[in-house]
């Protein structure tokens, strides 16, 4: 697994497609988003409930709608949003229709969370 600039900010990171939850040791879930079991394993690992959780994702594999179906709030992170939706569609293969909130920068997440409180 490669580290991003956000890696050290979280105690658990879930990476697709392998669906491995990382803390000290990897935890293999053997299920993939949008299967409800994939989200439940992560919630259990974190020790939190769905209603106190936020999923930020690019929308591939129906991950955002899957999260909402199990009670998790979700935001699409799309730094590729342009006026030409055709170009976005080519860059984001596998993105399923999403009618929920969209952000273009991770710096927008804290404001979103404050507004939801």
């Amino acid at each position: 697994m490669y580290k991003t600039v956000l890696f050290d900010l979280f105690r658990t990171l879930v990476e697709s497609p392998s669906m491995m939850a990382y803390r000290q040791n990897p935890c293999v879930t053997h299920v993939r988003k949008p299967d409800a079991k994939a989200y439940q394993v992560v919630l259990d690992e974190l020790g939190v409930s769905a209603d106190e959780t936020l999923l930020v994702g690019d929308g591939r594999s129906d991950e955002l709608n899957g999260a909402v179906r199990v009670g998790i709030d979700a935001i699409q992170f799309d730094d590729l949003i342009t006026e030409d939706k055709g170009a976005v569609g080519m860059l984001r293969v596998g993105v399923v229709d999403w009618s929920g909130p969209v952000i273009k920068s991770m710096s927008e997440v804290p404001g979103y969370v404050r507004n939801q409180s």
Side-chain angles (χ1 to χ4, degrees):
M1 176 176 173
Y2 66 92
K3 286 189 174 186
T4 70
V5 295
L6 300 173
F7 186 86
D8 292 327
L9 299 176
F10 301 94
R11 65 179 168 154
T12 301
L13 177 68
V14 177
E15 180 184 37
S16 294
S18 61
M19 284 304 297
M20 298 180 85
Y22 284 87
R23 197 184 305 176
Q24 296 293 348
N25 299 309
C27 169
V28 181
T29 66
H30 303 290
V31 291
R32 299 180 130 195
K33 299 176 288 185
D35 187 320
K37 293 177 203 167
Y39 302 99
Q40 191 59 54
V41 168
V42 174
L43 295 173
D44 292 345
E45 178 73 13
L46 292 171
V48 297
S49 63
D51 65 350
E52 58 185 334
T53 303
L54 173 66
L55 182 136
V56 179
D58 62 13
R60 294 180 202 185
S61 305
D62 203 24
E63 67 182 354
L64 302 169
N65 292 309
V68 169
R69 283 191 292 271
V70 297
I72 296 173
D73 196 10
I75 304 174
Q76 183 180 31
F77 173 62
D78 194 345
D79 57 345
L80 299 176
I81 294 174
T82 66
E83 294 301 316
D84 180 4
K85 289 293 183 185
V88 172
M90 292 186 328
L91 295 170
R92 296 283 193 193
V93 175
V95 174
V96 176
D97 287 339
W98 172 247
S99 59
V102 177
I103 59 172
K104 292 177 74 170
S105 169
M106 292 303 280
S107 65
E108 296 176 60
V109 173
Y112 176 84
V113 171
R114 279 192 299 275
N115 289 335
Q116 298 304 306
S117 301

